[in-house]
Amino acid sequence: MSSATRLYLSNDTSARAAGAGLLADAWAARPDVQLIRLSSRGAFFLEPMVERDSPDGRVAWCNVQPEDLPSILAGTGGTPVRSIPFLANQTRFTCANFGETEPLALDEYQARGGLKGLEEAFRLTPDAIIEELRVSQLRGRGGAAFPVWNKWKVAQQAKGGPKYVVANADEGDAGTYCDRMILEGDPFRLLEGMLICARAIGASRGYVYCRQEYPAAAVTLRAAIQKADEAELLELDGEPFPIEVVQGAGSYVCGEETALLESLEGKRGVVRARPPYPAQAGLFGRPTIVSNVLTFATIPQILSRGGAWHASLGTEQSRGTIALQLGGRVKHPGLVEVPFGLSLRQVLEQFGGGMAPGSRFKAVQVGGPLGSLFPADGLDLPICYDAFAKAGAVLGHGGIVVYDHETDMVDLARHFMAFTADESCGKCTPCRIGSVRGREILERIQAGGGTVEDLTLLDDLGETMKLASLCALGGRAPYPVLTAIEHFPVEFRSKLRT
Amino acid sequence: MHEQVEKIHRQVRSEPPNILKTLLALQEQVGHVPVEAIPEIAHSLGTTTAHIAGVLSYYPDLRVAAPGRHIIRVCMGESCYANGCGRVLRALQDRLRTDVGETTSGGKFTLDTMSCAGNCAVSPTVLIDRDLYGRVLPSEVETMLERYR
Ligand SMILES: Cc1cc2nc3c(=O)[nH]c(=O)nc-3n(C[C@H](O)[C@H](O)[C@H](O)COP(=O)(O)O)c2cc1C
Ligand code: SF4
Ligand code: FES
């Protein structure tokens, strides 16, 4: 075995879907190959990627087929990883371990700076931890972008225990996959963030609510929890802090924090009226922090590097980095971590590499199925919370999906409304009735039976849903539909009955 | 069914009764949640049948009918939409002569949709049982299905 060459290959779900599994099968029995399965760098257009060590860092072979093995073993034709522009131009902090480490190797995690944040948290008082987060100006990455320190303060001061820490791993926005990559690829980072939170608010139990569509993530995370437990990490001040992985059951609205808590309790995942907020009365009525996976994963470095370090990145209202997830018809779909502030155009050109072969740009959607659509002349918007809010848009969880010239905007709008009608929890009327009516109107237009009044009706309906819905599912659902009509009116009008 | 409900009940008894967990565990073992099991589950969890039925009907992943031997799920999320999942779904419908939510006449395949597998950068995505396929072309549907003969 000593003559075997170490080859690094990702075991990430998407890398496998791109062909990494085939390579592993083809090479498993070879005595001259020692395969090390890592997380993925997130440059999915290059997967499957195979890497080797070299004196100047890793060298990569991209879009590898089984028959490429001889040249890899001979060391010919590879590209130094650091000269791949898609990766070299990123600013990776939260995603720094992707493609570098074995997901379940705690020693590697530690060797690359892991657990330093937790050590720091043990040196600090709970108040001082929360102060560090206040200085960092970290805002939640799950969609609502609420200041993290503020929520923690409320939970810390709330009376009555036990208190809970819940990681929202429902990642329901289609077009997003960063949480999945953390769960599958760097699970100790999530656990470290949850432990820091638990210490700050005095929680005694943790949960990770993981979407059912991520089976590999749940397996890796459970194994990571076991390893952390064996290493006696799941303890706070001498008390055990158990963390349990709980599976979802395919409901999008269960990503909304109060519906998620209902679902964790085993009930129908229906949205609760707020207040009280979960930080005051959450799981089983106890003070609970529900935060996104990426939020928790960002916290260890805020403690180890300091809140001021985090606040030095990004823009005035949006500090730190954002993990953008490119999908749809871009040439280079993949994960992009950059400081807030680049424009959509810069991201799509510099990282997205323009359009996929044969495609012409039509629109881009940011922020998942409830996010707004932007046409070609709307791409100069800087990617940060305030600019997006001003434009009536959201960053959501950082999903960016590009649609090409073949996209039928009327069908896409119908697709959005049908999604909302399917996923509405039914608690409030504007969303329950509005989404069904909206879908019917769009179906009518699509079938050629719509009139000008139908477009007015959609507009009115949309305004009502925006204003009167209890949660952001109904409140945001009109945005993709109304922005489609706003930017592509001709497509809608040409389908109307005259 | 009685034994399975009993067993699952013992497994989750240590915690507050959790309907969703119980139903998911039953589905894991049996493949679906038979409606006949509702009274028994209600009894063992100390709640009403309406309460159980309510949870059962709420979650898209809980099935009350036995699925085919293989479950095919086509992702309908936006990245897959942009990359032509509609054409892939149509190819599957044509090939299997079955509609979404239905099972082929021989009971071999159940065709379903899903909303995102987190495989958006390698889309469109088709999940067959536990095998995830990325960058699927409609023309590849035939060979993909052949593996499940
Ligand atoms: C319909 C709906 C779906 C949501 N889905 C998710 C989700 O999948 N993951 C997530 O982290 N937050 C989701 N959210 C946001 C959560 O309600 C909540 O704001 C978030 O988990 C808080 O974490 P953060 O402070 O780290 O952002 C959703 C919200 C709504 C209204
Ligand atoms: S807006 Fe829709 S999903 Fe949200 S509470 Fe109302 S009915 Fe439920
Ligand atoms: S949109 Fe289909 S895998 Fe995410």
Side-chain angles (χ1 to χ4, degrees), chain A residues 276-427:
Chain A
Y277 290 90
Q280 304 162 300
L283 188 63
F284 304 115
R286 310 291 185 194
T288 305
I289 289 296
V290 183
S291 272
N292 175 252
V293 167
L294 190 53
T295 309
F296 282 120
T298 307
I299 285 163
Q301 286 186 74
I302 290 181
L303 276 262
S304 63
R305 294 171 186 259
W309 159 79
H310 185 264
S312 73
L313 299 159
T315 68
E316 183 65 28
Q317 299 295 321
S318 313
R319 305 299 175 113
T321 58
I322 179 163
L324 298 168
Q325 298 129 82
L326 307 187
R329 297 300 294 161
V330 276
K331 192 167 174 196
H332 299 159
L335 175 80
V336 177
E337 183 181 358
V338 285
F340 284 95
L342 292 185
S343 72
L344 266 174
R345 189 183 308 282
Q346 282 171 313
V347 168
L348 292 179
E349 283 171 6
Q350 290 173 17
F351 295 98
M355 296 298 290
S359 280
R360 291 192 306 279
F361 180 92
K362 185 155 187 180
V364 60
Q365 184 178 27
V366 184
L370 308 175
S372 304
L373 290 168
F374 298 90
D377 63 9
L379 299 183
D380 291 313
L381 198 64
I383 297 178
C384 54
Y385 298 120
D386 33 331
F388 265 63
K390 222 180 275 164
V394 286
L395 285 172
H397 188 43
I400 297 186
V401 174
V402 175
Y403 298 95
D404 74 4
H405 63 285
E406 288 191 14
T407 310
D408 172 347
M409 285 295 156
V410 179
D411 183 64
L412 185 61
R414 179 210 50 81
H415 164 88
F416 291 134
M417 260 306 163
F419 175 79
T420 304
D422 276 351
E423 299 296 339
S424 169
C425 83
K427 174 116 173 184

Side-chain angles (χ1 to χ4, degrees), chain A residues 1 17 28 57 75 102 109 136 141 165 190 213 216 332-333 388 415 421 426 439 445 463 476 484 498:
Chain A
M1 275 310 276
E102 289 182 79
Y109 178 66
S136 79
R141 300 294 192 239
V165 174
L190 165 66
E213 290 81 350
H332 299 159
F388 265 63
H415 164 88
R439 185 192 60 198
I445 296 175
E463 291 310 314
R476 290 281 332 165
T498 42

